[in-house]
Amino acid sequence: MPLRLILIGPPGVGKGTQAALIEQRTGAKPLSSGVIFRAEIDAETDLGQLAKRYIDHGELVPNGVTIQMMLKRIRSQEVRSHGFVLDGFPRTVRQAEALTEELENIQVTIDAVVSLEVPEDVIVDRLSGRMGCTKCGEIYHSTNKPPKREGICDKCNSPLFVREDDKPDTVRERLRVFRDNTKPVIDYYETLGRLRHIDADRPADQVYQDIVDGLV
Ligand code: AMP
Protein backbone atom coordinates (compact mmCIF):
# COMPACT_ATOMS: atom_id res chain seq x y z
CA MET A 1 0.00 0.00 0.00
CA PRO A 2 1.41 3.44 -0.86
CA LEU A 3 2.14 5.54 2.21
CA ARG A 4 0.36 8.88 2.60
CA LEU A 5 1.57 11.27 5.25
CA ILE A 6 1.23 14.91 6.24
CA LEU A 7 4.21 16.53 7.98
CA ILE A 8 3.46 19.69 9.96
CA GLY A 9 5.96 21.79 11.84
CA PRO A 10 7.72 25.15 12.00
CA PRO A 11 10.37 26.14 9.47
CA GLY A 12 13.65 24.34 10.12
CA VAL A 13 12.12 21.47 12.09
CA GLY A 14 13.36 18.94 9.52
CA LYS A 15 10.29 18.36 7.33
CA GLY A 16 12.36 18.39 4.14
CA THR A 17 14.96 16.03 5.60
CA GLN A 18 12.26 13.58 6.72
CA ALA A 19 10.37 13.80 3.42
CA ALA A 20 13.61 12.86 1.61
CA LEU A 21 14.27 9.90 3.98
CA ILE A 22 10.70 8.67 3.59
CA GLU A 23 11.03 8.79 -0.21
CA GLN A 24 14.36 6.89 -0.12
CA ARG A 25 12.96 4.17 2.12
CA THR A 26 9.31 3.83 1.07
CA GLY A 27 9.07 5.44 -2.38
CA ALA A 28 6.37 7.91 -1.26
CA LYS A 29 6.76 11.16 -3.24
CA PRO A 30 7.59 14.34 -1.31
CA LEU A 31 5.16 17.15 -2.16
CA SER A 32 6.75 20.25 -0.67
CA SER A 33 4.88 23.48 -1.30
CA GLY A 34 8.03 25.52 -0.58
CA VAL A 35 10.12 23.51 -3.07
CA ILE A 36 7.39 23.79 -5.71
CA PHE A 37 7.11 27.57 -5.19
CA ARG A 38 10.89 27.98 -5.46
CA ALA A 39 10.90 25.99 -8.73
CA GLU A 40 8.14 28.27 -10.07
CA ILE A 41 10.22 31.32 -9.07
CA ASP A 42 13.32 29.94 -10.81
CA ALA A 43 11.29 29.22 -13.94
CA GLU A 44 9.93 32.80 -13.76
CA THR A 45 6.32 31.69 -14.19
CA ASP A 46 3.37 33.96 -13.31
CA LEU A 47 2.74 31.88 -10.21
CA GLY A 48 6.42 32.17 -9.26
CA GLN A 49 6.38 35.94 -9.61
CA LEU A 50 3.27 36.19 -7.46
CA ALA A 51 4.61 33.79 -4.81
CA LYS A 52 7.97 35.57 -4.57
CA ARG A 53 6.33 38.75 -3.30
CA TYR A 54 5.11 36.87 -0.24
CA ILE A 55 7.95 34.39 0.25
CA ASP A 56 10.65 37.06 0.37
CA HIS A 57 8.88 38.61 3.38
CA GLY A 58 8.22 35.32 5.14
CA GLU A 59 4.47 35.68 4.55
CA LEU A 60 2.08 33.01 3.30
CA VAL A 61 1.18 32.84 -0.39
CA PRO A 62 -2.63 33.29 -0.72
CA ASN A 63 -4.73 30.18 -0.06
CA GLY A 64 -6.45 30.08 -3.48
CA VAL A 65 -3.34 29.64 -5.63
CA THR A 66 -1.60 27.43 -3.05
CA ILE A 67 -4.55 25.04 -2.75
CA GLN A 68 -4.91 24.78 -6.54
CA MET A 69 -1.20 24.10 -7.01
CA MET A 70 -1.06 21.35 -4.37
CA LEU A 71 -4.34 19.59 -5.16
CA LYS A 72 -3.32 19.31 -8.81
CA ARG A 73 -0.23 17.35 -7.74
CA ILE A 74 -2.09 15.15 -5.26
CA ARG A 75 -4.46 14.14 -8.09
CA SER A 76 -1.60 13.14 -10.42
CA GLN A 77 -1.32 9.47 -11.31
CA GLU A 78 2.32 9.15 -10.19
CA VAL A 79 1.53 10.48 -6.74
CA ARG A 80 -1.58 8.34 -6.45
CA SER A 81 0.32 5.16 -7.20
CA HIS A 82 3.47 5.85 -5.10
CA GLY A 83 1.88 7.65 -2.15
CA PHE A 84 2.98 11.07 -0.90
CA VAL A 85 4.49 13.04 1.94
CA LEU A 86 3.01 16.51 2.23
CA ASP A 87 5.63 18.92 3.52
CA GLY A 88 4.58 22.51 4.20
CA PHE A 89 0.97 22.03 3.14
CA PRO A 90 -1.60 22.52 4.65
CA ARG A 91 -0.40 25.59 6.52
CA THR A 92 -3.79 27.21 7.23
CA VAL A 93 -7.10 25.74 8.40
CA ARG A 94 -8.63 26.82 5.08
CA GLN A 95 -6.00 24.72 3.25
CA ALA A 96 -6.58 21.76 5.59
CA GLU A 97 -10.34 21.87 4.93
CA ALA A 98 -9.78 22.03 1.16
CA LEU A 99 -7.41 19.04 1.41
CA THR A 100 -9.87 16.99 3.48
CA GLU A 101 -12.59 17.66 0.91
CA GLU A 102 -10.37 16.73 -2.03
CA LEU A 103 -9.16 13.50 -0.39
CA GLU A 104 -12.77 12.52 0.28
CA ASN A 105 -13.64 13.19 -3.36
CA ILE A 106 -10.82 11.06 -4.72
CA GLN A 107 -11.30 8.46 -1.95
CA VAL A 108 -7.78 8.64 -0.60
CA THR A 109 -7.07 8.25 3.12
CA ILE A 110 -4.11 9.64 5.04
CA ASP A 111 -2.09 7.14 7.12
CA ALA A 112 -0.82 9.70 9.63
CA VAL A 113 -0.61 13.42 10.31
CA VAL A 114 2.69 14.14 12.03
CA SER A 115 3.47 17.19 14.13
CA LEU A 116 7.26 17.62 14.31
CA GLU A 117 8.16 19.61 17.42
CA VAL A 118 11.33 21.39 18.60
CA PRO A 119 11.93 24.42 20.87
CA GLU A 120 12.03 27.79 19.05
CA ASP A 121 15.65 28.60 19.94
CA VAL A 122 16.76 25.34 18.31
CA ILE A 123 14.95 26.39 15.14
CA VAL A 124 16.66 29.75 14.88
CA ASP A 125 19.97 27.95 15.35
CA ARG A 126 19.17 25.39 12.66
CA LEU A 127 18.04 27.96 10.10
CA SER A 128 21.04 30.23 10.47
CA GLY A 129 23.64 28.06 8.78
CA ARG A 130 21.29 26.00 6.63
CA MET A 131 22.32 25.35 3.01
CA GLY A 132 20.72 23.28 0.26
CA CYS A 133 21.96 21.72 -2.94
CA THR A 134 20.80 23.55 -6.06
CA LYS A 135 20.45 20.24 -7.92
CA CYS A 136 19.51 17.30 -5.68
CA GLY A 137 18.03 19.22 -2.73
CA GLU A 138 20.29 17.61 -0.06
CA ILE A 139 20.33 19.79 3.06
CA TYR A 140 23.50 20.80 4.97
CA HIS A 141 24.32 22.93 8.02
CA SER A 142 27.50 24.93 8.61
CA THR A 143 28.09 23.33 12.05
CA ASN A 144 25.75 20.31 12.36
CA LYS A 145 26.30 18.81 8.91
CA PRO A 146 28.96 20.65 6.90
CA PRO A 147 29.67 19.51 3.34
CA LYS A 148 33.11 17.92 2.81
CA ARG A 149 34.08 20.73 0.42
CA GLU A 150 32.82 24.21 1.17
CA GLY A 151 29.83 25.24 -0.95
CA ILE A 152 29.70 21.92 -2.85
CA CYS A 153 27.22 19.05 -2.48
CA ASP A 154 28.80 15.76 -1.27
CA LYS A 155 26.28 13.74 -3.26
CA CYS A 156 26.21 15.36 -6.69
CA ASN A 157 29.01 18.00 -6.70
CA SER A 158 26.59 20.83 -7.50
CA PRO A 159 26.83 24.24 -5.80
CA LEU A 160 25.02 24.83 -2.48
CA PHE A 161 22.82 27.87 -1.80
CA VAL A 162 21.45 29.70 1.23
CA ARG A 163 17.75 30.53 1.09
CA GLU A 164 16.85 34.24 0.96
CA ASP A 165 14.14 33.71 3.56
CA ASP A 166 16.55 32.13 6.08
CA LYS A 167 17.76 35.64 7.06
CA PRO A 168 17.13 36.30 10.81
CA ASP A 169 14.33 38.91 10.36
CA THR A 170 12.47 36.76 7.86
CA VAL A 171 12.93 33.69 10.07
CA ARG A 172 11.26 35.54 12.96
CA GLU A 173 8.36 36.51 10.68
CA ARG A 174 8.00 32.88 9.48
CA LEU A 175 7.86 31.68 13.08
CA ARG A 176 5.15 34.25 13.84
CA VAL A 177 3.19 33.11 10.78
CA PHE A 178 3.56 29.52 12.00
CA ARG A 179 2.20 30.36 15.46
CA ASP A 180 -0.75 32.36 14.06
CA ASN A 181 -1.74 30.25 11.06
CA THR A 182 -0.33 26.75 11.32
CA LYS A 183 -0.74 25.94 15.03
CA PRO A 184 -4.54 25.97 14.42
CA VAL A 185 -3.95 23.32 11.71
CA ILE A 186 -2.39 21.09 14.37
CA ASP A 187 -5.50 21.62 16.53
CA TYR A 188 -7.68 20.81 13.50
CA TYR A 189 -6.05 17.38 13.05
CA GLU A 190 -5.93 16.80 16.81
CA THR A 191 -9.71 17.24 16.91
CA LEU A 192 -10.07 14.74 14.06
CA GLY A 193 -7.98 12.34 16.22
CA ARG A 194 -5.34 11.90 13.51
CA LEU A 195 -2.24 13.42 15.03
CA ARG A 196 1.17 12.00 16.08
CA HIS A 197 3.30 14.39 18.16
CA ILE A 198 7.00 13.72 17.58
CA ASP A 199 10.03 15.21 19.34
CA ALA A 200 12.13 16.30 16.36
CA ASP A 201 15.09 17.52 18.41
CA ARG A 202 16.83 14.14 17.88
CA PRO A 203 18.88 12.49 15.13
CA ALA A 204 16.98 12.27 11.82
CA ASP A 205 16.96 8.47 11.87
CA GLN A 206 15.19 8.27 15.24
CA VAL A 207 12.63 10.84 14.13
CA TYR A 208 12.06 8.80 10.96
CA GLN A 209 11.47 5.60 12.98
CA ASP A 210 8.79 7.32 15.07
CA ILE A 211 7.09 8.77 11.99
CA VAL A 212 6.71 5.42 10.25
CA ASP A 213 6.19 3.33 13.40
CA GLY A 214 3.46 0.79 12.67
CA LEU A 215 3.00 2.03 9.09
CA VAL A 216 5.76 0.29 7.10
P1 AMP B 1 9.04 26.33 3.18
O1 AMP B 1 10.07 25.90 2.22
O2 AMP B 1 8.03 25.26 3.50
O3 AMP B 1 9.62 26.94 4.44
O4 AMP B 1 8.20 27.49 2.46
C1 AMP B 1 8.83 28.70 2.06
C2 AMP B 1 7.78 29.79 1.88
O5 AMP B 1 6.86 29.42 0.85
C3 AMP B 1 6.92 30.07 3.09
O6 AMP B 1 7.54 30.94 4.03
C4 AMP B 1 5.70 30.70 2.43
O7 AMP B 1 5.98 32.04 2.04
C5 AMP B 1 5.55 29.88 1.16
N1 AMP B 1 4.68 28.70 1.39
C6 AMP B 1 5.07 27.40 1.44
N2 AMP B 1 4.02 26.59 1.67
C7 AMP B 1 2.94 27.40 1.79
C8 AMP B 1 1.57 27.15 2.05
N3 AMP B 1 1.10 25.91 2.27
N4 AMP B 1 0.73 28.22 2.09
C9 AMP B 1 1.19 29.47 1.87
N5 AMP B 1 2.48 29.77 1.65
C10 AMP B 1 3.36 28.74 1.60
Coordinates of all heavy atoms in Angstrom, one line a residue, residues 11-12 15 32-35 37-38 51 54-63 66 69-70 87-92 95 130 163 165 174 177, ligand 1:
P11 N 9.2 26.2 10.4 CA 10.4 26.1 9.5 C 11.6 25.6 10.2 O 11.8 25.9 11.4 CB 10.6 27.6 9.1 CG 9.8 28.4 10.1 CD 8.7 27.5 10.6
G12 N 12.4 24.8 9.5 CA 13.7 24.3 10.1 C 13.5 23.1 11.0 O 14.5 22.7 11.6
K15 N 11.3 19.0 8.2 CA 10.3 18.4 7.3 C 10.9 17.9 6.0 O 10.6 16.8 5.6 CB 9.1 19.4 7.0 CG 8.4 19.9 8.3 CD 7.2 20.7 7.9 CE 7.5 22.0 7.2 NZ 8.2 23.0 8.0
S32 N 6.4 19.1 -1.5 CA 6.8 20.2 -0.7 C 6.3 21.5 -1.3 O 6.8 21.9 -2.4 CB 8.3 20.3 -0.5 OG 8.7 21.5 0.0
S33 N 5.4 22.2 -0.7 CA 4.9 23.5 -1.3 C 6.0 24.5 -1.5 O 6.1 25.2 -2.5 CB 3.7 24.1 -0.5 OG 4.0 24.0 0.9
G34 N 6.9 24.6 -0.5 CA 8.0 25.5 -0.6 C 8.9 25.2 -1.8 O 9.3 26.1 -2.5
V35 N 9.3 23.9 -1.9 CA 10.1 23.5 -3.1 C 9.4 23.8 -4.4 O 10.0 24.3 -5.3 CB 10.5 22.0 -3.0 CG1 11.1 21.5 -4.3 CG2 11.4 21.7 -1.8
F37 N 7.1 26.1 -5.0 CA 7.1 27.6 -5.2 C 8.5 28.0 -5.7 O 8.6 28.9 -6.6 CB 6.7 28.3 -3.9 CG 5.3 28.4 -3.6 CD1 4.8 28.1 -2.4 CD2 4.4 28.8 -4.6 CE1 3.4 28.2 -2.1 CE2 3.0 28.9 -4.4 CZ 2.5 28.6 -3.1
R38 N 9.6 27.5 -5.0 CA 10.9 28.0 -5.5 C 11.2 27.6 -6.9 O 11.8 28.3 -7.6 CB 12.0 27.5 -4.5 CG 12.0 28.3 -3.2 CD 13.1 27.9 -2.3 NE 13.0 26.6 -1.6 CZ 12.2 26.3 -0.6 NH1 11.6 27.3 0.0 NH2 12.2 25.1 -0.1
A51 N 4.2 34.4 -6.1 CA 4.6 33.8 -4.8 C 5.8 34.5 -4.2 O 5.9 34.7 -3.0 CB 4.9 32.3 -5.0
Y54 N 5.4 37.3 -1.6 CA 5.1 36.9 -0.2 C 6.3 36.2 0.4 O 6.6 36.4 1.6 CB 3.9 35.9 -0.3 CG 2.7 36.6 -0.8 CD1 2.4 36.6 -2.2 CD2 1.8 37.3 0.0 CE1 1.3 37.2 -2.7 CE2 0.7 38.0 -0.5 CZ 0.4 37.9 -1.8 OH -0.7 38.6 -2.3
I55 N 6.9 35.2 -0.3 CA 7.9 34.4 0.3 C 9.1 35.2 0.8 O 9.7 35.0 1.8 CB 8.4 33.3 -0.8 CG1 7.3 32.4 -1.1 CG2 9.7 32.6 -0.3 CD1 7.5 31.3 -2.1
D56 N 9.5 36.2 0.0 CA 10.7 37.1 0.4 C 10.4 37.8 1.7 O 11.4 38.2 2.4 CB 11.0 38.1 -0.7 CG 11.7 37.5 -1.9 OD1 12.1 36.3 -1.8 OD2 11.9 38.2 -2.9
H57 N 9.2 38.0 2.1 CA 8.9 38.6 3.4 C 8.5 37.6 4.5 O 8.1 38.0 5.6 CB 7.7 39.6 3.2 CG 8.1 40.7 2.3 ND1 7.7 40.8 1.0 CD2 9.0 41.8 2.5 CE1 8.2 41.9 0.4 NE2 9.0 42.5 1.3
G58 N 8.6 36.3 4.1 CA 8.2 35.3 5.1 C 6.7 35.2 5.3 O 6.3 34.5 6.3
E59 N 5.9 35.8 4.4 CA 4.5 35.7 4.5 C 3.9 34.5 3.8 O 4.6 34.0 2.9 CB 3.8 37.0 4.0 CG 4.1 38.2 4.8 CD 3.8 39.5 4.1 OE1 3.1 39.4 3.0 OE2 4.4 40.5 4.5
L60 N 2.7 34.1 4.0 CA 2.1 33.0 3.3 C 1.6 33.5 1.9 O 1.0 34.6 1.8 CB 0.9 32.4 4.1 CG 1.2 31.7 5.4 CD1 0.0 31.1 6.0 CD2 2.3 30.6 5.2
V61 N 1.8 32.6 0.9 CA 1.2 32.8 -0.4 C -0.3 32.6 -0.2 O -0.8 31.8 0.6 CB 1.8 31.8 -1.4 CG1 1.2 32.0 -2.8 CG2 3.3 32.0 -1.4
P62 N -1.2 33.4 -0.9 CA -2.6 33.3 -0.7 C -3.1 31.8 -0.9 O -2.6 31.1 -1.7 CB -3.2 34.2 -1.8 CG -2.2 35.2 -2.0 CD -0.9 34.5 -1.9
N63 N -4.2 31.5 -0.1 CA -4.7 30.2 -0.1 C -5.2 29.7 -1.4 O -4.9 28.5 -1.8 CB -6.0 30.1 0.9 CG -5.6 30.1 2.3 OD1 -4.6 29.4 2.7 ND2 -6.3 30.7 3.2
T66 N -2.4 28.5 -3.7 CA -1.6 27.4 -3.0 C -2.4 26.1 -3.1 O -1.9 25.1 -3.4 CB -1.3 27.8 -1.6 OG1 -0.6 29.1 -1.6 CG2 -0.4 26.8 -0.9
M69 N -2.5 24.7 -6.6 CA -1.2 24.1 -7.0 C -1.0 22.7 -6.4 O -0.5 21.8 -7.0 CB -0.1 25.1 -6.6 CG 1.3 24.6 -6.7 SD 2.5 25.9 -6.2 CE 2.7 25.3 -4.5
M70 N -1.3 22.6 -5.1 CA -1.1 21.4 -4.4 C -2.1 20.3 -4.7 O -1.7 19.1 -4.9 CB -1.1 21.6 -2.9 CG 0.1 22.5 -2.4 SD 1.7 21.9 -2.9 CE 2.0 20.5 -1.8
D87 N 4.7 18.2 2.7 CA 5.6 18.9 3.5 C 5.4 20.4 3.3 O 5.6 20.9 2.2 CB 7.0 18.5 3.1 CG 8.1 19.5 3.3 OD1 7.9 20.5 4.1 OD2 9.2 19.4 2.7
G88 N 4.8 21.1 4.3 CA 4.6 22.5 4.2 C 3.2 22.8 3.7 O 2.8 24.0 3.6
F89 N 2.4 21.9 3.5 CA 1.0 22.0 3.1 C 0.2 20.9 3.8 O 0.6 19.8 3.8 CB 0.8 21.9 1.6 CG -0.6 22.0 1.1 CD1 -1.2 23.3 0.9 CD2 -1.4 20.9 1.0 CE1 -2.5 23.4 0.4 CE2 -2.8 21.0 0.6 CZ -3.3 22.2 0.3
P90 N -1.0 21.2 4.5 CA -1.6 22.5 4.6 C -1.0 23.4 5.8 O -0.5 22.8 6.7 CB -3.0 22.1 5.0 CG -2.9 20.8 5.7 CD -1.8 20.1 5.1
R91 N -1.0 24.7 5.6 CA -0.4 25.6 6.5 C -1.4 26.5 7.1 O -1.1 27.3 8.0 CB 0.6 26.5 5.8 CG 2.1 26.3 6.2 CD 2.9 27.2 5.4 NE 4.3 27.4 5.7 CZ 5.3 26.7 5.2 NH1 5.1 25.7 4.4 NH2 6.5 27.1 5.5
T92 N -2.7 26.4 6.6 CA -3.8 27.2 7.2 C -5.0 26.2 7.4 O -5.0 25.2 6.7 CB -4.2 28.4 6.3 OG1 -4.8 27.8 5.1 CG2 -3.1 29.3 6.0
Q95 N -6.7 25.7 4.1 CA -6.0 24.7 3.2 C -6.3 23.3 3.7 O -6.5 22.4 2.9 CB -4.5 25.0 3.3 CG -4.1 26.3 2.6 CD -2.6 26.5 2.7 OE1 -1.8 25.6 3.1 NE2 -2.1 27.7 2.3
R130 N 21.8 27.0 7.5 CA 21.3 26.0 6.6 C 21.7 26.3 5.2 O 21.7 27.4 4.7 CB 19.8 26.0 6.8 CG 19.1 25.0 5.9 CD 17.7 24.7 6.3 NE 16.7 25.7 5.9 CZ 15.4 25.5 5.9 NH1 14.9 24.4 6.4 NH2 14.6 26.5 5.5
R163 N 19.0 30.0 1.4 CA 17.7 30.5 1.1 C 17.6 32.0 1.5 O 18.0 32.3 2.7 CB 16.6 29.7 1.7 CG 16.3 28.5 1.0 CD 15.4 27.6 1.7 NE 14.2 28.3 2.1 CZ 13.1 27.6 2.7 NH1 13.1 26.3 2.8 NH2 12.1 28.3 3.1
D165 N 15.0 33.5 2.4 CA 14.1 33.7 3.6 C 14.7 33.1 4.8 O 14.0 33.0 5.8 CB 12.7 33.3 3.2 CG 12.6 31.8 2.8 OD1 13.6 31.2 2.6 OD2 11.5 31.3 2.7
R174 N 8.5 34.2 9.8 CA 8.0 32.9 9.5 C 7.6 32.1 10.7 O 6.6 31.4 10.7 CB 9.1 32.1 8.7 CG 9.2 32.6 7.3 CD 10.5 32.2 6.6 NE 10.6 30.7 6.4 CZ 11.7 30.0 6.4 NH1 12.9 30.6 6.5 NH2 11.6 28.7 6.2
V177 N 4.2 33.6 11.7 CA 3.2 33.1 10.8 C 2.8 31.7 11.2 O 1.7 31.3 11.2 CB 3.7 33.2 9.3 CG1 2.8 32.3 8.4 CG2 3.8 34.6 8.8
Ligands
AMP1 P1 9.0 26.3 3.2 O1 10.1 25.9 2.2 O2 8.0 25.3 3.5 O3 9.6 26.9 4.4 O4 8.2 27.5 2.5 C1 8.8 28.7 2.1 C2 7.8 29.8 1.9 O5 6.9 29.4 0.8 C3 6.9 30.1 3.1 O6 7.5 30.9 4.0 C4 5.7 30.7 2.4 O7 6.0 32.0 2.0 C5 5.5 29.9 1.2 N1 4.7 28.7 1.4 C6 5.1 27.4 1.4 N2 4.0 26.6 1.7 C7 2.9 27.4 1.8 C8 1.6 27.2 2.1 N3 1.1 25.9 2.3 N4 0.7 28.2 2.1 C9 1.2 29.5 1.9 N5 2.5 29.8 1.6 C10 3.4 28.7 1.6

